[in-house]
């Protein structure tokens, strides 16, 4: 028969031997009873080797404990449950820096019971699982299931380090970047953008798998990875001859360039590709990827759906571009940019007698850069770079603002002899920004420029592109200004799609005009362009007129206006005013 004394003795024995720490304290935290496990667990927390008061002992590790005890709900008596206590909270868990879990209860009015459990190992395990998960996330792209850039670099390095077999030439790295993916994201949202990326990854995989099916390669699949938001890499290390790479590249370009169907949308997303072909046994993976990306940028600059093969010279031109980029950052602040004006003259109407022209039809504003070392730099050299480095908006605003103010100055000074219209170029990048119409409106207001006198020029390849660009064009037109399609004939859109673009003027590119008087083929194209434009209520400007013969041809074909060195090169504002005065006098006499 067990007595209550025996039971008490058993309880004490249990407490004494229990593998968990048990401590009984007064309301003030004075320790009244402590079992050996507690003493072992709490000793590292004691600064003077004593275990007298629980609050003092834990004041650094659990400073709120006293307050928690005071606030405890009397009904349940719970002070805290599984509170994690660590000697060095900022350190990783280690046996020398244990982590304890504390649960505390108010038993009767003046008695508290604390239970300590050593959870150091548990926390270590949790952290290992977490870091494994993190490193998996770092290595596997969640959206496409492909290796990430980090993983691709490792795999690529392993492949490069592997000795080449005698039958295979070496490897090629293909760096694939989607063109204008941002426009798709902006227009259709991230969800569709993500679906599109998965489809692209899938199509890339199936294109490469088909090489195997077709017996083009024997074993293994090439390494495919997603190395950036809209960028993929493919490593082919099964090339028998290096020339094979262009066949694969072209097939990828063709397949990825076909439309994607997502819900009701039919989406076109072409890609540009950079290729590095390299002997195995040599090279560093990140250098190889870098070289491939330089080639890709070259391909992208050349236009849609192209590949470029890396050449060492690309490194030097990339350095040159970067130095232009650095200088350009300062150009605006240092007032090195300025605007020149080229007249746009009237070719039809009563003024046109024996080659005399209407000099006041308009002018085009063109930006220039007075570089401290290189002299005057052409926009052809820096507009593209400004687009890439995010400076085009600031430059575009500067040109528009300067030109509008200049236009108004001439209106005030010259009255009816002032140009009637101002044309300003917009770049591809500017058109992708939703705030563009607001900025243009602000400049019109602050300069006092009537919207109807402003014409914004967009390039042909650009205007035909996407719904979001069309939306932007309509927003601009809603301000009351007009739009011109620049360089017509050099892009992809055809005469038959001209009606889809909300422009008022078509500018026939110089490459047509310069052969207008010598080539029947070009004359027919100019004629057709003018006819279609007029049938749609648009007027026409012939660009780059250099000779009387060219001027006469385009005039006879009905072209409304002309622009070119025959009349004047682009000149600074003061020279433009003199040109206007001289030409007005000449055309009257
Ligand atoms: P664009 O808008 O088609 O401008 C016409 C270009 O043809 C100008 O070159 C002009 O100087 C040149 N040009 C005019 N008449 C003749 C001619 O008779 N013969 C020859 N050979 N060339 C002629 P520029 O000023 O070097 O500008 C080149 C391009 O740079 C422009 O082509 C335009 O696309 C872009 N650009 C210029 N200024 C700006 C700007 O402020 N913003 C943006 N986004 N682009 C600009
Ligand atoms: Mg232009
Ligand atoms: Mg042009």
């Amino acid at each position: 028969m067990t007595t209550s004394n025996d039971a008490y003795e058993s309880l004490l024995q249990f407490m004494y031997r229990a593998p968990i720490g048990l401590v009984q304290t007064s309301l003030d935290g004075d320790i009244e009873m402590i079992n050996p496990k507690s003493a072992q667990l709490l000793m590292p927390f004691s600064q003077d080797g004593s275990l007298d008061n629980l609050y003092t002992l834990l004041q650094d590790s659990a400073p709120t404990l006293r307050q928690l005890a005071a606030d405890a709900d009397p009904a349940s008596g719970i002070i805290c449950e599984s509170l994690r206590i660590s000697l060095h909270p900022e350190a990783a868990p280690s046996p020398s820096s244990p982590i304890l879990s504390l649960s505390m209860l108010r038993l009767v009015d003046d008695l508290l019971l604390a239970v300590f459990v050593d959870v150091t190992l548990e926390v270590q395990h949790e952290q290992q699982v977490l870091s494994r998960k993190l490193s998996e996330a770092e290595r596997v792209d969640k959206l496409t299931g492909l290796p990430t850039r980090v993983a691709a670099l490792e795999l690529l390095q392993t492949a490069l380090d592997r000795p080449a077999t005698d039958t295979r030439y070496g490897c090629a790295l293909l760096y694939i970047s989607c063109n204008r993916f941002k426009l798709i994201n902006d227009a259709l949202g991230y969800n569709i953008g993500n679906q599109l990326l998965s489809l692209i990854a899938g199509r890339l995989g199936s294109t490469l798998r088909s090489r195997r099916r077709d017996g083009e390669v024997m074993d293994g699949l090439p390494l495919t990875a997603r190395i950036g938001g809209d960028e993929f890499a493919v490593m082919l290390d099964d090339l028998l001859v290096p020339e094979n790479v262009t066949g694969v590249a072209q097939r990828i370009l063709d397949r990825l360039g076909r439309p994607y169907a997502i819900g009701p949308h039919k989406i076109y997303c072409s890609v540009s590709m950079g290729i590095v072909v390299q002997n195995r046994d040599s090279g560093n993976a990140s250098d190889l990827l870098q070289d491939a990306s330089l080639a890709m940028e070259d391909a992208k600059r050349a236009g849609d759906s192209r590949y470029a093969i890396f050449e060492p010279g690309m490194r030097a031109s990339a350095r040159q571009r970067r130095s232009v980029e650095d200088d350009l950052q300062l150009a605006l602040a240092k007032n090195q940019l300025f605007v020149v004006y080229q007249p746009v003259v009237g070719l039809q109407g009563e003024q046109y007698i024996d080659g005399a022209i209407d000099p006041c039809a308009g002018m085009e504003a063109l930006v220039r850069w007075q570089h401290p070392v290189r002299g005057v730099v052409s926009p052809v050299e820096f507009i593209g770079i400004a687009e890439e480095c995010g400076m085009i908006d600031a430059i575009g605003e500067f040109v528009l603002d300067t030109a509008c103010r200049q236009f108004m100055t001439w209106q005030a000074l010259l009255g009816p002899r002032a140009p009637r219209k101002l044309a300003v170029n917009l770049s591809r990048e500017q058109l992708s920004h939703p705030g563009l119409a607001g900025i243009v409106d602000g400049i019109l207001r602050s300069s006092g420029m009537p919207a109807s006198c402003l014409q914004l020029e967009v390039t042909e390849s650009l205007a035909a592109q996407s719904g979001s660009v069309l939306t932007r064009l309509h927003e601009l037109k809603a301000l009351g200004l007009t739009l011109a399609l620049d360089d017509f004939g050099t892009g992809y859109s055809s005469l038959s799609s001209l009606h889809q673009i909300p422009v008022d003027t078509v500018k026939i590119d110089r490459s047509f005009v310069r052969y207008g008087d010598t080539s029947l083929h070009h004359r027919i194209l100019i004629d057709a362009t003018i006819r279609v434009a007029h049938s749609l209520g648009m007027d026409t400007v012939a660009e780059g007129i250099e000779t009387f013969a060219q001027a006469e041809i385009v005039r006879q074909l009905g072209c409304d206006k002309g622009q070119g060195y025959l009349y004047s090169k682009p000149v600074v504002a003061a020279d433009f005013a003199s040109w206007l005065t001289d030409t007005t006098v000449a055309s009257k006499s």
Side-chain angles (χ1 to χ4, degrees):
M1 198 179 123
T2 53
T3 64
S4 60
N5 263 352
D6 291 343
Y8 184 67
E9 186 58 32
S10 306
L11 188 63
L12 281 181
Q13 281 297 324
F14 164 74
M15 282 187 62
Y16 190 79
R17 294 187 182 164
I20 54 171
L22 297 165
V23 177
Q24 180 188 310
T25 76
S26 70
L27 275 185
D28 289 335
D30 289 336
I31 296 178
E32 294 172 349
M33 200 248 354
I34 180 165
N35 74 343
K37 186 69 185 175
S38 275
Q40 181 205 338
L41 293 177
L42 289 175
M43 196 48 91
F45 290 82
S46 170
Q47 293 187 355
D48 57 3
S50 68
L51 296 173
D52 296 337
N53 185 289
L54 194 62
Y55 298 148
T56 318
L57 207 57
L58 299 179
Q59 71 188 4
D60 290 339
S61 310
T64 55
L65 199 55
R66 189 189 292 271
Q67 194 58 47
L68 286 174
D71 297 343
D73 170 23
S76 71
I78 294 172
I79 296 169
C80 65
E81 277 182 309
S82 307
L83 183 71
R84 285 212 169 153
I85 295 174
S86 159
L87 193 51
H88 304 292
E90 64 293 343
S94 75
S96 62
S97 166
I99 296 175
L100 307 182
S101 161
L102 163 65
S103 300
M104 216 167 151
L105 207 60
R106 186 166 175 168
L107 280 182
V108 278
D109 273 355
D110 50 0
L111 205 67
L112 308 182
L113 180 68
V115 180
F116 291 93
V117 181
D118 185 351
V119 290
T120 315
L121 289 177
E122 209 176 302
V123 172
Q124 273 174 349
H125 178 70
E126 276 171 18
Q127 295 203 334
Q128 277 163 1
V129 170
L130 190 68
S131 76
R132 216 172 23 245
K133 276 196 180 147
L134 278 176
S135 90
E136 262 171 32
E138 199 185 48
R139 300 178 55 78
V140 180
D141 174 49
K142 249 195 182 147
L143 184 66
T144 58
L146 293 175
T148 58
R149 187 186 193 93
V150 173
L153 281 171
E154 282 175 21
L155 295 166
L156 188 57
Q157 192 62 57
T158 313
L160 287 173
D161 293 343
R162 209 183 301 142
T165 61
D166 42 6
T167 50
R168 293 164 187 204
Y169 172 77
C171 62
L173 182 66
L174 278 47
Y175 195 117
I176 300 168
S177 166
C178 299
N179 294 322
R180 290 175 293 283
F181 194 81
K182 188 174 172 300
L183 282 183
I184 295 170
N185 256 347
D186 286 350
L188 303 173
Y190 282 98
N191 192 13
I192 302 258
N194 281 347
Q195 289 183 51
L196 179 60
L197 286 171
S198 306
L199 291 178
I200 293 173
R203 212 180 268 183
L204 193 56
S206 70
T207 308
L208 294 165
R209 271 193 296 279
S210 69
R211 296 178 69 218
R212 195 169 171 200
R213 235 186 4 252
D214 299 346
E216 199 180 297
V217 288
M218 301 300 292
D219 54 7
L221 274 178
L223 159 68
T224 309
R226 182 174 174 216
I227 50 172
D230 57 0
E231 294 182 329
F232 298 88
V234 174
M235 194 186 105
L236 306 169
D237 68 345
D238 49 17
L239 296 169
L240 295 176
V241 281
E243 291 73 34
N244 280 355
V245 71
T246 53
V248 182
Q250 193 55 55
R251 204 163 337 147
I252 293 175
L253 290 180
D254 293 345
R255 300 239 175 119
L256 297 193
R258 291 179 196 162
Y260 297 84
I262 301 180
H265 308 284
K266 188 177 174 190
I267 304 173
Y268 287 86
C269 181
S270 68
V271 298
S272 298
M273 187 190 296
I275 303 173
V276 188
V277 183
Q278 158 122 15
N279 277 319
R280 194 100 61 51
D281 263 349
S282 62
N284 164 293
S286 60
D287 289 349
L288 207 63
L289 199 64
Q290 173 73 16
D291 288 347
S293 86
L294 291 181
M296 180 280 292
E297 282 165 17
D298 231 50
K300 200 165 256 205
R301 278 192 288 275
D304 278 355
S305 277
R306 285 169 202 243
Y307 65 77
I309 297 181
F310 173 76
E311 292 159 19
M314 287 177 180
R315 293 195 194 119
S317 28
R319 269 198 301 278
Q320 156 81 4
R321 288 177 72 81
R322 263 197 301 278
S323 108
V324 171
E325 203 176 301
D326 292 344
D327 291 351
L328 200 54
Q329 304 281 354
L330 298 173
L332 256 181
K334 292 195 166 177
N335 292 324
Q336 292 169 356
L337 295 185
F338 64 101
V339 181
V340 290
Y341 302 90
Q342 186 176 33
V344 176
V345 303
L347 296 178
Q348 306 289 336
E350 280 161 20
Q351 299 95 328
Y352 198 93
I353 307 159
D354 294 336
I357 38 100
D358 168 13
C360 303
M363 60 182 183
E364 177 171 4
L366 296 155
V367 69
R368 295 288 180 267
W369 177 11
Q370 182 68 53
H371 190 279
V373 179
R374 299 171 59 205
V376 177
V377 183
S378 147
V380 181
E381 279 187 59
F382 67 88
I383 290 290
I385 298 180
E387 286 188 308
E388 280 173 28
C389 71
M391 286 206 59
I392 192 64
D393 290 330
I395 294 177
E397 271 186 54
F398 162 78
V399 174
L400 185 63
D401 189 61
T402 309
C404 285
R405 286 174 201 284
Q406 185 60 62
F407 183 89
M408 293 312 288
T409 305
W410 281 326
Q411 291 291 310
L413 272 173
L414 305 169
R417 289 183 297 110
R420 293 188 291 278
K421 213 164 200 111
L422 166 69
V424 179
N425 294 282
L426 278 185
S427 82
R428 156 195 296 207
E429 206 37 48
Q430 283 174 282
L431 266 189
S432 67
H433 291 174
L436 179 65
I439 290 170
V440 174
D441 190 32
I443 292 176
L444 288 173
R445 285 171 197 274
S446 69
S447 62
M449 169 103 182
S452 59
C453 295
L454 178 65
Q455 182 156 72
L456 293 176
E457 299 191 357
V458 297
T459 61
E460 180 200 343
S461 54
L462 163 70
Q465 268 160 28
S466 75
S468 67
V469 168
L470 280 182
T471 310
R472 206 106 319 128
L473 295 179
H474 284 293
E475 287 166 3
L476 288 170
K477 284 206 73 164
L479 298 175
L481 50 80
T482 54
L483 296 175
L485 197 52
D486 208 351
D487 308 338
F488 185 78
T490 56
Y492 294 104
S493 61
S494 59
L495 280 175
S496 60
S497 58
L498 203 51
H499 69 282
Q500 293 168 346
I501 312 170
V503 294
D504 308 272
T505 300
V506 176
K507 296 190 78 169
I508 306 166
D509 192 67
R510 185 166 71 91
S511 54
F512 292 84
V513 175
R514 76 200 269 204
Y515 300 113
D517 56 333
T518 52
S519 145
L520 178 64
H521 169 70
H522 286 84
R523 197 151 59 239
I524 290 172
L525 286 172
I526 297 172
D527 184 33
T529 307
I530 295 170
R531 282 171 196 273
V532 173
H534 283 171
S535 77
L536 294 166
M538 301 169 182
D539 69 354
T540 48
V541 178
E543 297 192 87
I545 300 179
E546 293 186 355
T547 65
F548 279 112
Q550 290 163 359
E552 196 46 28
I553 285 295
V554 295
R555 192 192 68 81
Q556 279 170 15
L557 293 175
C559 188
D560 304 280
K561 292 173 202 165
Q563 180 180 353
Y565 293 173
L566 174 65
Y567 308 108
S568 167
K569 286 195 167 183
V571 290
V572 293
D575 293 346
F576 186 87
S578 330
W579 177 88
L580 260 185
T581 322
D582 296 350
T583 316
T584 312
V585 173
S587 59
K588 278 193 178 139
S589 57

Short mmCIF file of all heavy atoms in Angstrom, two decimals, residues 342 507-515 541-547 550 562-567:
data_model
loop_
_atom_site.label_atom_id
_atom_site.label_comp_id
_atom_site.label_asym_id
_atom_site.label_seq_id
_atom_site.Cartn_x
_atom_site.Cartn_y
_atom_site.Cartn_z
N GLN A 342 15.99 71.45 -88.33
CA GLN A 342 16.07 71.29 -89.78
C GLN A 342 14.71 71.67 -90.37
O GLN A 342 13.67 71.18 -89.90
CB GLN A 342 16.41 69.84 -90.15
CG GLN A 342 16.64 69.70 -91.65
CD GLN A 342 17.06 68.29 -92.06
OE1 GLN A 342 16.64 67.31 -91.47
NE2 GLN A 342 17.88 68.21 -93.10
N LYS A 507 6.43 59.90 -92.96
CA LYS A 507 7.71 60.43 -93.45
C LYS A 507 8.43 59.32 -94.22
O LYS A 507 8.78 58.29 -93.66
CB LYS A 507 8.56 60.91 -92.28
CG LYS A 507 7.93 62.09 -91.55
CD LYS A 507 8.87 62.73 -90.54
CE LYS A 507 9.88 63.63 -91.20
NZ LYS A 507 10.63 64.44 -90.20
N ILE A 508 8.58 59.54 -95.51
CA ILE A 508 9.17 58.51 -96.38
C ILE A 508 10.68 58.52 -96.19
O ILE A 508 11.33 59.56 -96.31
CB ILE A 508 8.80 58.76 -97.86
CG1 ILE A 508 7.27 58.87 -97.98
CG2 ILE A 508 9.35 57.67 -98.75
CD1 ILE A 508 6.81 59.46 -99.30
N ASP A 509 11.22 57.37 -95.86
CA ASP A 509 12.63 57.31 -95.47
C ASP A 509 13.57 57.72 -96.60
O ASP A 509 13.30 57.50 -97.78
CB ASP A 509 12.96 55.89 -95.00
CG ASP A 509 14.32 55.87 -94.32
OD1 ASP A 509 14.43 56.48 -93.23
OD2 ASP A 509 15.26 55.29 -94.89
N ARG A 510 14.72 58.25 -96.17
CA ARG A 510 15.75 58.73 -97.09
C ARG A 510 16.23 57.63 -98.04
O ARG A 510 16.59 57.88 -99.19
CB ARG A 510 16.93 59.23 -96.25
CG ARG A 510 18.05 59.85 -97.03
CD ARG A 510 18.97 60.60 -96.07
NE ARG A 510 19.74 59.69 -95.25
CZ ARG A 510 20.94 59.22 -95.58
NH1 ARG A 510 21.51 59.59 -96.70
NH2 ARG A 510 21.58 58.40 -94.77
N SER A 511 16.19 56.36 -97.57
CA SER A 511 16.69 55.28 -98.41
C SER A 511 15.83 55.09 -99.67
O SER A 511 16.30 54.52 -100.65
CB SER A 511 16.74 53.97 -97.61
OG SER A 511 15.50 53.71 -97.03
N PHE A 512 14.60 55.58 -99.65
CA PHE A 512 13.75 55.53 -100.86
C PHE A 512 13.96 56.79 -101.69
O PHE A 512 14.10 56.75 -102.89
CB PHE A 512 12.27 55.42 -100.48
CG PHE A 512 11.94 54.10 -99.85
CD1 PHE A 512 12.13 53.90 -98.50
CD2 PHE A 512 11.45 53.06 -100.63
CE1 PHE A 512 11.86 52.68 -97.92
CE2 PHE A 512 11.17 51.83 -100.06
CZ PHE A 512 11.38 51.64 -98.70
N VAL A 513 13.97 57.92 -100.95
CA VAL A 513 14.02 59.21 -101.64
C VAL A 513 15.30 59.35 -102.45
O VAL A 513 15.29 59.87 -103.57
CB VAL A 513 13.89 60.36 -100.61
CG1 VAL A 513 14.07 61.71 -101.27
CG2 VAL A 513 12.54 60.27 -99.90
N ARG A 514 16.41 58.81 -101.91
CA ARG A 514 17.69 59.05 -102.60
C ARG A 514 17.76 58.35 -103.95
O ARG A 514 18.55 58.73 -104.80
CB ARG A 514 18.87 58.65 -101.71
CG ARG A 514 19.12 57.19 -101.59
CD ARG A 514 19.93 56.92 -100.37
NE ARG A 514 21.36 56.93 -100.64
CZ ARG A 514 22.22 56.29 -99.88
NH1 ARG A 514 21.82 55.62 -98.81
NH2 ARG A 514 23.49 56.30 -100.15
N TYR A 515 16.93 57.33 -104.17
CA TYR A 515 16.92 56.67 -105.48
C TYR A 515 15.67 57.03 -106.29
O TYR A 515 15.40 56.46 -107.33
CB TYR A 515 16.99 55.15 -105.32
CG TYR A 515 18.25 54.71 -104.61
CD1 TYR A 515 18.20 54.13 -103.35
CD2 TYR A 515 19.50 54.89 -105.21
CE1 TYR A 515 19.36 53.74 -102.69
CE2 TYR A 515 20.66 54.52 -104.56
CZ TYR A 515 20.58 53.95 -103.30
OH TYR A 515 21.74 53.59 -102.65
N VAL A 541 5.82 63.46 -95.97
CA VAL A 541 7.06 64.23 -95.99
C VAL A 541 8.14 63.33 -96.58
O VAL A 541 8.28 62.18 -96.16
CB VAL A 541 7.50 64.63 -94.56
CG1 VAL A 541 8.82 65.40 -94.59
CG2 VAL A 541 6.43 65.46 -93.86
N ALA A 542 8.90 63.84 -97.56
CA ALA A 542 10.02 63.06 -98.09
C ALA A 542 11.27 63.48 -97.32
O ALA A 542 11.58 64.67 -97.24
CB ALA A 542 10.19 63.33 -99.58
N GLU A 543 11.95 62.50 -96.72
CA GLU A 543 13.13 62.80 -95.91
C GLU A 543 14.40 62.71 -96.76
O GLU A 543 14.46 61.93 -97.71
CB GLU A 543 13.28 61.77 -94.80
CG GLU A 543 12.18 61.72 -93.79
CD GLU A 543 12.59 60.86 -92.60
OE1 GLU A 543 13.22 61.40 -91.67
OE2 GLU A 543 12.29 59.66 -92.60
N GLY A 544 15.40 63.47 -96.38
CA GLY A 544 16.74 63.32 -96.97
C GLY A 544 16.83 63.72 -98.43
O GLY A 544 17.56 63.11 -99.20
N ILE A 545 16.09 64.77 -98.79
CA ILE A 545 16.19 65.25 -100.18
C ILE A 545 17.53 65.99 -100.34
O ILE A 545 17.80 66.96 -99.63
CB ILE A 545 15.03 66.21 -100.53
CG1 ILE A 545 13.69 65.48 -100.37
CG2 ILE A 545 15.20 66.78 -101.93
CD1 ILE A 545 12.48 66.36 -100.66
N GLU A 546 18.36 65.51 -101.28
CA GLU A 546 19.68 66.14 -101.44
C GLU A 546 19.83 66.84 -102.78
O GLU A 546 20.73 67.67 -102.95
CB GLU A 546 20.78 65.10 -101.24
CG GLU A 546 20.84 64.60 -99.79
CD GLU A 546 22.01 63.67 -99.51
OE1 GLU A 546 22.75 63.32 -100.43
OE2 GLU A 546 22.16 63.29 -98.33
N THR A 547 18.98 66.49 -103.74
CA THR A 547 19.13 67.10 -105.08
C THR A 547 17.79 67.63 -105.58
O THR A 547 16.72 67.19 -105.12
CB THR A 547 19.63 66.05 -106.11
OG1 THR A 547 18.61 65.05 -106.26
CG2 THR A 547 20.91 65.38 -105.66
N GLN A 550 15.64 64.83 -107.02
CA GLN A 550 14.86 64.06 -106.01
C GLN A 550 13.64 64.88 -105.58
O GLN A 550 12.53 64.36 -105.45
CB GLN A 550 15.73 63.76 -104.78
CG GLN A 550 16.82 62.74 -105.05
CD GLN A 550 17.90 62.76 -103.96
OE1 GLN A 550 17.86 63.55 -103.02
NE2 GLN A 550 18.89 61.89 -104.12
N GLY A 562 8.92 68.36 -97.84
CA GLY A 562 10.25 67.76 -98.00
C GLY A 562 11.21 68.27 -96.95
O GLY A 562 11.01 69.35 -96.36
N GLN A 563 12.23 67.49 -96.75
CA GLN A 563 13.22 67.82 -95.73
C GLN A 563 14.53 67.25 -96.22
O GLN A 563 14.56 66.13 -96.74
CB GLN A 563 12.79 67.14 -94.42
CG GLN A 563 13.67 67.36 -93.23
CD GLN A 563 13.13 66.63 -91.99
OE1 GLN A 563 12.01 66.08 -92.03
NE2 GLN A 563 13.88 66.63 -90.93
N GLY A 564 15.62 67.99 -96.12
CA GLY A 564 16.89 67.43 -96.58
C GLY A 564 17.95 68.50 -96.75
O GLY A 564 17.67 69.70 -96.66
N TYR A 565 19.17 68.01 -97.01
CA TYR A 565 20.30 68.92 -97.13
C TYR A 565 20.13 69.90 -98.28
O TYR A 565 20.73 70.96 -98.30
CB TYR A 565 21.61 68.13 -97.32
CG TYR A 565 22.01 67.31 -96.11
CD1 TYR A 565 23.10 66.42 -96.19
CD2 TYR A 565 21.35 67.42 -94.89
CE1 TYR A 565 23.49 65.67 -95.09
CE2 TYR A 565 21.73 66.67 -93.79
CZ TYR A 565 22.80 65.79 -93.90
OH TYR A 565 23.18 65.05 -92.82
N LEU A 566 19.30 69.55 -99.27
CA LEU A 566 19.07 70.46 -100.38
C LEU A 566 18.58 71.82 -99.85
O LEU A 566 18.96 72.87 -100.35
CB LEU A 566 18.01 69.88 -101.34
CG LEU A 566 17.57 70.81 -102.48
CD1 LEU A 566 18.72 71.10 -103.44
CD2 LEU A 566 16.41 70.19 -103.26
N TYR A 567 17.74 71.75 -98.84
CA TYR A 567 17.19 72.99 -98.28
C TYR A 567 18.09 73.51 -97.17
O TYR A 567 18.52 74.64 -97.18
CB TYR A 567 15.76 72.75 -97.78
CG TYR A 567 14.91 72.11 -98.85
CD1 TYR A 567 14.52 70.77 -98.75
CD2 TYR A 567 14.58 72.82 -99.99
CE1 TYR A 567 13.81 70.17 -99.76
CE2 TYR A 567 13.85 72.22 -101.01
CZ TYR A 567 13.47 70.88 -100.89
OH TYR A 567 12.78 70.30 -101.90
#
